């Protein structure tokens, strides 16, 4: 015989002899939680999750014994990501159960753990897996991470093959991106290219500038530059791309 749930229990035994039923009630017994056996996911991650931003709903997990009872135990728990898209899981991915790290828990217990800042950079469909040495792991249900609002300008193609007085042999291509680096196609953004000077000869400082069509308006989140050039020789400089509000 075995019982799974903690609490006060009594066992009742009956035997039908064919003439009468004999009943025996055993003394009450108290069942307490056993040793940690597995992890369960009590709060699924998700909400309207966007690339590179902490999930609006953060996961919470419990440690449970073999009967499914909550166990008060401080154990290290690590979370990992699984999905079809290559992506990075950010935030605090290795914590210890029994500390809520500033987040409200569904039920406070030494065997409960609330994650607070998990995020995934790239849009896609993912699951999270929670593991702890010696315990049965747990996996979340699948959830979506979608492209967020425009946040930055990302360089997709670096400029190169530069000769003084000629358009760059390799012209830069930039992209409007969200926090996680996902391509944002909505709206139009004005992107300006300029020189960022690191080491330049003093005598040419005033004449050093980036020439060509330095101001572009994004089309479906892309800006393809075509005629950028530098007309004087500098020791070392690079090109920066800026857009108001990004």
């Amino acid at each position: 015989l075995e019982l799974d749930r903690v609490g006060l229990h009594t066992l009742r035994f009956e035997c039908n002899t064919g003439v009468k039923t004999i009943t025996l009630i055993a003394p009450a017994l108290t069942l307490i939680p056993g040793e940690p056996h597995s992890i369960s996911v009590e709060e699924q991650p998700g909400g309207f999750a966007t690339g590179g931003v902490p999930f609006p709903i953060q996961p919470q997990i419990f440690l449970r014994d073999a009967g499914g009872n909550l166990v008060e135990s401080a154990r290290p728990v690590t979370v990992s990501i699984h999905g079809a898209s290559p992506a990075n899981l950010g935030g605090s991915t290795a914590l210890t159960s029994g500390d809520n790290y500033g987040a409200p828990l569904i039920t406070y217990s030494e065997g409960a753990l609330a994650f607070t800042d998990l995020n995934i950079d790239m849009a896609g469909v993912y699951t999270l897996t929670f593991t702890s040495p010696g315990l049965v792991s747990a996996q979340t249900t699948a959830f979506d991470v979608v492209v967020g609002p425009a946040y930055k300008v990302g360089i997709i193609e670096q400029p190169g093959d530069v000769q003084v007085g000629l358009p760059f042999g390799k012209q830069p291509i930039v992209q409007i991106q969200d926090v996680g680096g996902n391509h944002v196609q909505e709206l139009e953004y004005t992107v300006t290219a300029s020189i960022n000077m690191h080491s330049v000869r003093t005598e040419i400082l005033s004449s050093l500038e980036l020439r060509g069509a330095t101001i572009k308006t994004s089309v479906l989140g892309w800006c393809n530059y075509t005629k950028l050039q530098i007309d004087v020789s500098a020791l070392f400089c690079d090109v920066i791309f800026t857009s108001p509000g990004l």
Side-chain angles (χ1 to χ4, degrees):
L1 295 178
E2 64 180 36
L3 296 171
D4 57 357
R5 297 301 179 183
V6 298
L8 186 65
H9 302 273
T10 57
L11 298 180
R12 178 186 178 95
F13 301 90
E14 293 185 352
C15 178
N16 191 332
T17 66
V19 177
K20 64 177 182 179
T21 299
I22 300 174
T23 300
L24 176 64
I25 298 177
L29 57 89
T30 301
L31 190 67
I32 62 174
E35 290 296 313
H37 174 266
S38 62
I39 300 172
S40 67
V41 179
E42 301 303 314
E43 182 76 54
Q44 296 287 342
F48 188 74
T50 58
V53 178
F55 311 146
I57 300 176
Q58 292 285 323
Q60 297 187 22
I61 61 100
F62 285 175
L63 303 187
R64 297 190 179 276
D65 65 12
N69 301 288
L70 179 61
V71 179
E72 295 191 357
S73 177
R75 294 292 184 94
V77 178
T78 301
V79 57
S80 57
I81 182 177
H82 303 274
S85 303
N88 298 301
L89 177 63
S92 302
T93 59
L95 301 178
T96 300
S97 62
D99 192 331
N100 67 355
Y101 296 90
L105 288 166
I106 298 172
T107 301
Y108 181 76
S109 165
E110 290 296 325
L113 175 58
F115 290 82
T116 59
D117 59 356
L118 296 181
N119 65 86
I120 296 174
D121 56 357
M122 304 310 293
V125 180
Y126 303 95
T127 60
L128 301 180
T129 299
F130 302 90
T131 57
S132 184
L135 303 184
V136 177
S137 62
Q139 189 174 69
T140 67
T141 57
F143 62 96
D144 294 317
V145 175
V146 299
V147 178
Y151 177 78
K152 62 184 179 180
V153 179
I155 301 175
I156 303 302
E157 184 71 39
Q158 295 282 349
D161 295 339
V162 178
Q163 298 184 50
V164 175
L166 296 175
F168 302 158
K170 290 183 179 179
Q171 292 286 325
I173 300 174
V174 302
Q175 185 186 75
I176 306 300
Q177 299 176 343
D178 68 3
V179 175
N182 297 287
H183 179 198
V184 179
Q185 301 185 46
E186 293 78 10
L187 305 179
E188 293 182 344
Y189 294 87
T190 300
V191 180
T192 300
S194 59
I195 289 180
N196 184 29
M197 292 173 286
H198 294 283
S199 179
V200 180
R201 300 201 309 272
T202 304
E203 66 271 18
I204 66 168
L205 187 61
S206 60
S207 61
L208 181 61
E209 65 176 307
L210 185 65
R211 299 186 184 278
T214 59
I215 300 176
K216 289 281 189 177
T217 298
S218 65
V219 178
L220 296 178
W222 293 98
C223 288
N224 295 342
Y225 290 85
T226 57
K227 297 180 180 180
L228 297 183
Q229 67 182 63
I230 297 174
D231 288 343
V232 295
S233 177
L235 294 178
F236 180 60
C237 64
D238 53 27
V239 180
I240 61 174
F241 301 89
T242 57
S243 182
L246 304 184

